[in-house]
Amino acid sequence: MTVLVTGGAGFIGSNFVLDWFAQGTEPVVNLDKLTYAGNPANLEPLKDSPAHVFVHGDISNRELVRHLLERHMPRALVHFAAESHVDRSVHGPAEFVQTNIVGTFALLEETRLWWEKLAPSERDEFRFLHVSTDEVFGSLGPHDAPFNESTPFAPNSPYAASKAAGDHLVRAYHHTYELPTLTVNCSNNYGPYQFPEKLIPLMILNAITRKPLPVYGEGGNVRDWLYVQDHCTAIRQVLERGRIGETYNVGGHNQKTNLEVVNAICALLDEARPHSKIRHSTLISFVKDRPGHDRRYAMDFSKIAIQLGWAPSETFDSGLRKTVAWYLDNPDWVAHVTSGTYRHWIEKNYAHRGEA
């Protein structure tokens, strides 16, 4: 038995693959395009494992996808591959449309064609699990109830719109072709191996190098933070016991403003790397907000809790402490990913925003 994973060298995907082998020995075929956020170093612990087969390729390459399905006959496909950064989608939406919509379509279509040729028992056992985001639901007001699985889609960024389109395609392939699909919509993930364009790793790395900590607006945007290991556990449970054709919201039950998050990081760094006269929070700078910045996300994950018994095991405090420690303990990984290309992106996105 084999599982095919797309995007398994990225942040969530690589954590999932590493966790998969920590839980068992079932082989994984890992298909990743290795864009800027896909990092083979994330998978270094598996370099000598014959059960982990890495394939450098694009989900939009239908011939390649067809070959992998026919050769490895996976019992499940777990689809992480995506462009995922809102700011990058504002600067260049075309890549998000290509990967998140066209790529997901190519993957679904090749999977359907292959799946329809299987024996009935094999068709019944197969699952296509699509990993999505809470951003497809849009933005909440300060006192609105959290998103649930019935919340209408209202995406506000090119990224969110591209993920919503992918979600719709997955739903359509189940209802039209009876492909056995599952969808997980998660809140903001954080943890080891996250590319430092996202808030938490960006702030950690800027702070330890005494660079400004750029916070959008007044820092009041609220996110529900989910430790990546808890997300991986949820995905495994949905894959094994989720109801075919349904979606599951996964959240951390940790609503924090961006400014609260940054201050918490600074406090942990003050503890881990104290400076006698200067606290890390003095590096905080407020910059012009990004266009269409959603005000608040929050997830109601009662469905997965009731049906599958899942709940997050990490609090925000415990998960953030582990995350800060990981970045401090892995300077070689950090040095590799914060290359000239990364520095150019940070300059492009933040340098000319000015004060909020």
Side-chain angles (χ1 to χ4, degrees), residues 250-267:
V250 182
H253 196 55
N254 288 308
Q255 293 185 55
K256 303 287 183 183
T257 67
N258 288 349
L259 187 56
E260 286 177 316
V261 171
V262 177
N263 276 317
I265 292 169
C266 290

Side-chain angles (χ1 to χ4, degrees), residues 309-320:
W310 177 87
S313 61
E314 298 289 346
T315 66
F316 183 72
D317 291 341
S318 66
L320 188 64

Side-chain angles (χ1 to χ4, degrees), residues 3-24 26-30 42-43 46 52 75-80 129 131 184 189 192-193 228-240:
V3 173
L4 174 59
V5 173
T6 72
F11 164 47
I12 304 176
S14 62
N15 273 281
F16 176 82
V17 172
L18 292 171
D19 184 65
W20 184 265
F21 284 109
Q23 305 298 323
E26 185 176 6
V28 168
V29 177
N30 186 347
N42 297 2
L43 303 164
L46 302 176
H52 178 244
R75 70 170 180 90
L77 190 157
V78 184
H79 177 34
F80 293 98
L129 191 150
V131 180
V184 171
N189 279 219
Y193 301 109
V228 66
Q229 196 78 26
D230 284 330
H231 187 197
C232 294
T233 301
I235 292 170
R236 286 203 318 273
Q237 292 187 15
V238 171
L239 183 63
E240 296 307 318

Side-chain angles (χ1 to χ4, degrees), residues 32-141:
D32 198 292
K33 190 178 178 181
L34 294 181
T35 60
Y36 72 94
N39 188 352
N42 297 2
L43 303 164
E44 184 69 15
L46 302 176
K47 65 179 181 179
D48 297 321
S49 172
H52 178 244
V53 178
F54 182 79
V55 179
H56 182 196
D58 190 341
I59 59 171
S60 298
N61 183 340
R62 292 181 56 171
E63 183 177 353
L64 174 59
V65 171
R66 186 182 315 133
H67 167 74
L68 293 176
L69 291 168
E70 291 175 350
R71 177 179 178 181
H72 296 282
M73 297 294 290
R75 70 170 180 90
L77 190 157
V78 184
H79 177 34
F80 293 98
E83 296 287 343
S84 66
H85 189 38
V86 173
D87 287 331
R88 286 183 185 267
S89 80
V90 173
H91 289 287
E95 292 183 34
F96 289 73
V97 171
Q98 178 61 40
T99 298
N100 300 353
I101 302 176
V102 178
T104 297
F105 161 73
L107 199 62
L108 282 164
E109 183 66 357
E110 286 302 324
T111 301
R112 176 184 72 85
L113 294 171
W114 167 80
W115 173 79
E116 288 178 342
K117 299 174 184 177
L118 297 177
S121 61
E122 294 173 320
R123 288 201 301 269
D124 290 343
E125 292 175 359
F126 180 77
R127 298 291 183 270
F128 183 110
L129 191 150
H130 172 61
V131 180
S132 189
T133 172
D134 55 2
E135 297 194 36
V136 299
F137 300 120
S139 185
L140 293 169

Side-chain angles (χ1 to χ4, degrees), residues 168-317:
H168 285 314
L169 283 168
V170 172
R171 174 184 170 87
Y173 267 68
H174 171 66
H175 285 275
T176 302
Y177 304 111
E178 298 184 347
L179 188 70
T181 64
L182 300 156
T183 297
V184 171
N185 292 86
C186 68
S187 60
N188 279 39
N189 279 219
Y190 68 101
Y193 301 109
Q194 188 169 30
F195 190 77
E197 63 187 357
K198 301 294 180 71
L199 179 68
I200 287 178
L202 175 65
M203 295 301 158
I204 295 171
L205 300 189
N206 274 21
I208 63 179
T209 53
R210 314 305 291 173
K211 295 177 181 177
L213 308 181
V215 176
Y216 286 143
E218 79 290 358
N221 300 77
V222 176
R223 299 294 181 262
D224 177 12
W225 292 96
L226 173 66
Y227 190 63
V228 66
Q229 196 78 26
D230 284 330
H231 187 197
C232 294
T233 301
I235 292 170
R236 286 203 318 273
Q237 292 187 15
V238 171
L239 183 63
E240 296 307 318
R241 298 188 287 120
R243 297 177 183 174
I244 292 174
E246 297 202 7
T247 65
Y248 292 87
N249 283 0
V250 182
H253 196 55
N254 288 308
Q255 293 185 55
K256 303 287 183 183
T257 67
N258 288 349
L259 187 56
E260 286 177 316
V261 171
V262 177
N263 276 317
I265 292 169
C266 290
L268 288 170
L269 289 173
D270 287 342
E271 177 185 321
R273 292 192 174 179
H275 293 268
S276 58
K277 295 181 179 180
I278 302 175
R279 291 187 173 275
H280 289 87
S281 59
T282 62
L283 299 169
I284 294 173
S285 64
F286 296 96
V287 299
K288 183 180 178 182
D289 210 348
R290 73 181 176 208
H293 196 177
D294 289 338
R295 187 66 182 177
R296 173 175 168 251
Y297 305 144
M299 293 290 259
D300 176 354
F301 59 83
S302 57
K303 178 178 177 179
I304 190 174
I306 293 169
Q307 287 191 13
L308 306 182
W310 177 87
S313 61
E314 298 289 346
T315 66
F316 183 72
D317 291 341

